[in-house]
């Protein structure tokens, strides 16, 4: 990269936006990108520390499983569908000599991610498309509540690298699912994930993280508005339902963290 331009070996060039990210999106995306409002809700919610247990568990698992050369850090850490960079920034603190790259389909998320950590670069691209990374470019890949393309994730991981996937468990946000009409987590989600990845990866570690968040009536709409539920909720109806909740409201945070190695 030179003078605000990213160049590839084939002579293509891409301007780095003034907000610090580069747009590598090819054509129309398969799914809608998070809006500015969704990204703002996520940034505010995460800044309050509600998902700190997930970030901490992810960072610890990265440190335990990442390929670490003697006396050094593993190398490039990539977050696919990384949003505002909250989780990647936490993982980067474990590897002071590594560089991080975050990919997200939302330019609004990429703008924030570019400022999330001094060693993070942000890219706008579609996680369902061919990923803009060379074969074996990454040593650690993160995927937190994000789309997963196993073949592409395998291609971009170096031999001995690690893919860390975070998925919600069936009891995730259980206090809000019924009360607010939120999307439910598939009871067989972990099994389906394992089946999808079995052709490209082998599982090397799995752990569960379960804790309780204490949310007020401002944080609950932020939580709903920062993810897929935002596309299914009506503003006034959501406000009415939130008003019926106790304040503060205890909400279950429950996820599975899985570490995979690429098959040789």
């Amino acid at each position: 990269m030179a003078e605000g331009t990213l160049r590839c070996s084939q002579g293509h060039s891409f301007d780095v936006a003034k907000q610090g990210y580069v747009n590598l999106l090819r054509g129309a995306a398969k799914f809608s990108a998070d809006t500015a409002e969704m990204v703002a809700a996520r940034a505010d919610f995460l800044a309050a520390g509600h998902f700190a247990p997930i970030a901490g568990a992810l960072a610890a698992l990265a440190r335990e499983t990442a390929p670490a050369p003697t006396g050094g850090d593993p190398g490039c850490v990539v977050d696919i569908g990384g949003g505002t960079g909250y989780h990647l920034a936490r993982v980067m603190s474990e590897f002071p000599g590594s560089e991080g790259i975050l990919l997200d389909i939302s330019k609004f998320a990429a703008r924030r991610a570019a400022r999330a950590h001094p060693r993070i670069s942000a890219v706008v691209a579609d996680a369902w498309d061919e990923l803009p990374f060379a074969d074996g470019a990454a040593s650690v890949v993160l995927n937190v509540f994000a789309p997963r393309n196993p073949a592409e994730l395998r291609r971009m991981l170096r031999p001995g690298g690690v893919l860390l996937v975070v998925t919600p468990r069936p009891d995730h946000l259980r206090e809000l699912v019924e009360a607010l009409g939120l999307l439910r987590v598939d009871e067989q989600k972990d099994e389906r994930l394992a089946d999808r990845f079995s052709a490209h990866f082998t599982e090397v570690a799995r752990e569960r993280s379960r804790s309780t968040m204490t949310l007020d009536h401002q944080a609950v709409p932020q939580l709903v508005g920062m993810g897929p539920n935002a596309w299914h909720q009506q503003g006034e109806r959501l406000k009415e339902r939130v008003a019926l909740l106790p304040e503060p409201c205890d909400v279950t945070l429950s996820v599975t963290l899985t570490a995979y190695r690429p098959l040789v």
Side-chain angles (χ1 to χ4, degrees):
M1 183 168 64
E3 297 181 357
T5 301
L6 189 66
R7 302 183 188 278
C8 75
S9 59
Q10 297 181 346
H12 301 109
S13 63
F14 305 88
D15 292 336
V16 178
K18 64 181 180 180
Q19 295 90 351
Y21 69 91
V22 62
N23 193 334
L24 301 181
L25 190 63
R26 305 190 309 173
K30 294 182 180 179
F31 296 96
S32 299
D34 288 352
T35 64
E37 293 76 16
M38 292 171 68
V39 171
R42 181 178 301 138
D44 290 343
F45 186 85
L46 294 177
H50 300 301
F51 274 18
I54 297 178
L58 181 63
L61 188 59
R63 172 53 71 187
E64 293 169 7
T65 59
T70 302
D73 289 310
C76 184
V77 182
V78 177
D79 191 349
I80 302 296
T84 61
Y86 175 80
H87 297 289
L88 179 56
R90 178 64 183 84
V91 170
M92 294 305 293
S93 68
E94 298 291 323
F95 307 119
S98 293
E99 295 295 324
I101 300 176
L102 181 143
L103 181 150
D104 200 278
I105 197 174
S106 170
K107 66 180 181 181
F108 303 108
R111 288 174 182 174
R112 291 181 181 265
R115 304 190 301 269
H117 191 280
R119 287 182 283 114
I120 290 178
S121 299
V123 176
V124 174
D126 187 353
W128 292 113
D129 198 356
E130 181 179 350
L131 298 174
F133 298 96
D135 294 357
S139 296
V140 179
V141 175
L142 312 179
N143 183 270
V144 183
F145 300 153
R148 294 169 291 273
N149 183 339
E152 276 296 283
L153 295 173
R154 167 65 187 89
R155 181 190 63 79
M156 64 180 288
L157 258 179
R158 79 178 213 193
V162 64
L163 167 66
L164 304 178
V165 179
V166 180
T167 52
R169 294 189 53 74
D171 59 339
H172 184 57
L173 311 184
R174 63 183 178 85
E175 295 84 359
L176 301 181
V177 169
E178 199 69 45
L180 303 183
L182 304 186
L183 299 172
R184 297 181 180 274
V185 177
D186 184 354
E187 294 279 349
Q188 303 301 317
K189 191 175 185 68
D190 285 347
E191 289 74 13
R192 290 191 299 104
L193 180 68
D195 288 344
R196 285 191 61 206
F197 275 72
S198 61
H200 303 280
F201 294 90
T202 182
E203 182 179 314
V204 295
R206 180 186 293 197
E207 60 185 55
R208 297 176 181 177
S209 175
R210 192 176 191 276
S211 57
T212 299
M213 302 179 288
T214 300
L215 308 180
D216 60 21
H217 283 187
Q218 179 179 358
V220 171
Q222 290 172 346
L223 174 60
V224 175
M226 73 183 202
N229 283 291
W231 303 108
H232 304 278
Q233 294 291 327
Q234 298 296 323
E236 288 305 316
R237 180 57 177 153
L238 177 61
K239 289 180 182 178
E240 293 172 0
R241 288 179 168 182
V242 170
L244 297 176
L245 294 173
E247 188 175 27
C249 177
D250 288 339
V251 179
T252 299
L253 181 62
S254 181
V255 301
T256 299
L257 300 96
T258 311
Y260 295 94
R261 299 271 186 224
L263 292 175
V264 295

